Amino acid sequence: MWGGRKLSSSGSRFLGVLRFGCRVTQADCPRLSTSAVYTKNQLSCALQIKPWVFNECIMWFKSYRMTFAGLNTMKSHKYHWVRLYSASRATVDSSEVKTFLALAHRWWDDQGVYAPLHSMNDLRVPFIRDNLLKIVANHQPGTPLSGMKILDVGCGGGLLAEPLGRLGASVTGIDPVDENIKTAQCHKSFDPVLEKRIEYRACSLEEIMEETAETFDAVVASEVVEHVIDLETFIQCCCHVLKPGGSLFITTINKTQLSYALGIVFAEQIAGIVPKGTHTWEKFVSPEKLESILESNGLSVRTVAGMLYNPFSGYWHWSENTSLNYAAHAVKSRELDHPVPAEFVLKGETEELRAGASMNPGVREELKK
């Protein structure tokens, strides 16, 4: 059957030729004649089809195209809402997954390829802690982040999730690489305290976005945004799972000539500080562009600070220079922070004025105006 029509034997043979690229001879199908043209690099077979056979084939193709066009139209309407918040890992780059999969067993080697991330905790953990404590009136000594829910996106082997958990936070770590999650779960099992405070899941942010809408006090994406395919969508997803007033923390690499020279040429190709192919310069993002994306999604940028890594000492330090690495802290707008429609403002103000009008002659004059 083809497009709802039963094919003749010669028509079936013709379609077989088109579909499988078989060589056709006059003996195989009397309605078709063939002529072969041989070149040095290729062999092409030109089919000369008699007009009435060609017209019949055109009708078959039209029927086929109309049938499947209708199905595709129905599918696009049926699943339009699914594509808006798809769980298809739209921001995850499959090539990046392969790179980190090969290194999944090396996360906790503090002298290996992830040594810079181990030492980065000296900056990023206090950066997250101190900015979160600005919005907490009271906190417990030793566990200042107690009661806070934090989502660690692209958690890898748990290098950042664990210290945040030890500060008292309830941490959910997610990563699209299954082997990374297995490594993280294995390492946290050695600490009974972390067993209760940290949960790991092998998934993308899109896959948990709907079930965790406005759930987290903070979202951390440390050394992640330079690996995603669609940064705008990624930021939208982060904003979606944040509570109003929640914080988004990002550490990443600026897109400059210096970051290309030092971050890729030197760090990957010459010094071997990180494995080759770990970073793609085109995915780096400047603080200005990142801030623009954050602001357009209802996130107010509070802090942007430069970070510098010394490959000889193995330590990081803060800097006013953001041309290489930098950290950013943004806060999701609260509902009360949104502009209130004028009609509601006027109505509320008028009611308050009327309540005190009998006692205040000045107010009565304001109402008359």
Side-chain angles (χ1 to χ4, degrees):
M1 297 292 290
W2 181 270
R5 300 183 55 181
K6 187 174 182 180
L7 304 183
S8 62
S9 59
S10 60
S12 300
R13 194 172 300 148
F14 169 73
L15 291 177
V17 171
L18 293 182
R19 184 175 183 182
F20 298 106
C22 301
R23 184 177 180 180
V24 182
T25 65
Q26 197 85 21
D28 291 329
C29 182
R31 295 181 180 178
L32 302 176
S33 62
T34 62
S35 60
V37 181
Y38 295 86
T39 64
K40 183 177 180 180
N41 298 320
Q42 66 177 10
L43 172 64
S44 63
C45 181
L47 296 180
Q48 298 176 350
I49 308 171
K50 293 188 177 181
W52 67 276
V53 177
F54 182 77
N55 291 336
E56 185 177 1
C57 294
I58 290 296
M59 293 178 66
W60 290 331
F61 281 118
K62 284 184 177 180
S63 175
Y64 169 82
R65 185 176 60 186
M66 291 175 64
T67 301
F68 281 85
L71 291 175
N72 288 333
T73 301
M74 293 171 63
K75 182 186 290 186
S76 65
H77 287 292
K78 181 177 180 181
Y79 296 106
H80 175 69
W81 65 273
V82 175
R83 290 198 301 271
L84 294 178
Y85 298 107
S86 172
S88 61
R89 302 186 177 186
T91 63
V92 177
D93 190 331
S94 58
S95 63
E96 300 273 5
V97 170
K98 293 178 181 178
T99 299
F100 288 101
L101 177 61
L103 301 170
H105 64 289
R106 306 181 67 179
W107 279 103
W108 289 97
D109 178 7
D110 58 6
Q111 301 299 318
V113 294
Y114 290 121
L117 291 182
H118 281 268
S119 61
M120 187 184 284
N121 279 354
D122 294 341
L123 296 189
R124 57 184 179 176
V125 173
F127 181 73
I128 295 169
R129 178 199 62 201
D130 295 346
N131 280 287
L132 287 178
L133 291 182
K134 292 177 182 178
I135 60 175
V136 178
N138 300 310
H139 56 84
Q140 301 177 11
T143 55
L145 300 185
S146 180
M148 289 193 175
K149 293 183 178 181
I150 298 178
L151 176 66
D152 184 6
V153 183
C155 64
L159 269 59
L160 183 55
E162 288 200 6
L164 293 176
R166 290 192 179 93
L167 289 174
S170 175
V171 183
T172 299
I174 62 173
D175 197 285
V177 182
D178 292 350
E179 294 302 317
N180 285 349
I181 294 300
K182 291 178 182 178
T183 299
Q185 289 175 332
C186 178
H187 196 270
K188 79 160 184 176
S189 66
F190 294 104
D191 190 335
V193 174
L194 296 182
E195 278 288 318
K196 299 177 181 179
R197 295 179 184 171
I198 301 178
E199 175 192 2
Y200 290 116
R201 296 178 62 176
C203 63
S204 67
L205 179 55
E206 295 95 311
E207 290 177 291
I208 67 165
M209 188 174 64
E210 287 307 303
E211 65 183 85
T212 58
E214 296 190 348
T215 296
F216 298 99
D217 298 287
V219 173
V220 178
S222 185
E223 306 306 295
V224 170
V225 300
E226 66 269 25
H227 299 290
V228 302
I229 293 177
D230 188 340
L231 180 57
E232 180 100 25
T233 300
F234 180 81
I235 296 299
Q236 290 174 358
C237 295
C238 290
C239 186
H240 189 74
V241 300
L242 269 178
K243 294 178 180 178
S247 293
L248 173 61
F249 297 95
I250 293 174
T251 67
T252 188
I253 309 174
N254 198 347
K255 190 175 183 180
T256 61
Q257 293 181 348
L258 185 60
S259 70
Y260 178 79
L262 295 181
I264 294 181
V265 176
F266 176 75
E268 294 187 17
Q269 301 175 8
I270 298 177
I273 298 173
V274 294
K276 291 182 179 180
T278 300
H279 296 112
T280 303
W281 186 79
E282 288 74 16
K283 289 183 179 180
F284 292 177
V285 57
S286 67
E288 294 78 16
K289 182 177 180 180
L290 179 62
E291 183 172 352
S292 175
I293 296 174
L294 293 171
E295 295 283 357
S296 66
N297 285 281
L299 291 156
S300 175
V301 178
R302 302 294 177 86
T303 306
V304 175
M307 305 167 66
L308 290 179
Y309 178 70
N310 187 331
F312 302 103
S313 67
Y315 290 103
W316 292 83
H317 64 269
W318 293 111
S319 170
E320 294 181 358
N321 189 342
T322 61
S323 60
L324 288 173
N325 296 73
Y326 64 95
H329 170 223
V331 176
K332 181 178 179 179
S333 299
R334 296 179 182 271
E335 294 181 359
L336 295 178
D337 292 335
H338 296 166
V340 181
E343 59 269 22
F344 295 107
V345 174
L346 291 175
K347 181 179 178 181
E349 289 180 351
T350 302
E351 289 176 350
E352 290 181 2
L353 290 172
R354 285 176 178 170
S358 59
M359 295 181 292
N360 192 334
V363 173
R364 190 178 298 111
E365 291 298 322
E366 288 294 327
L367 286 173
K368 289 180 180 179
K369 294 179 181 180

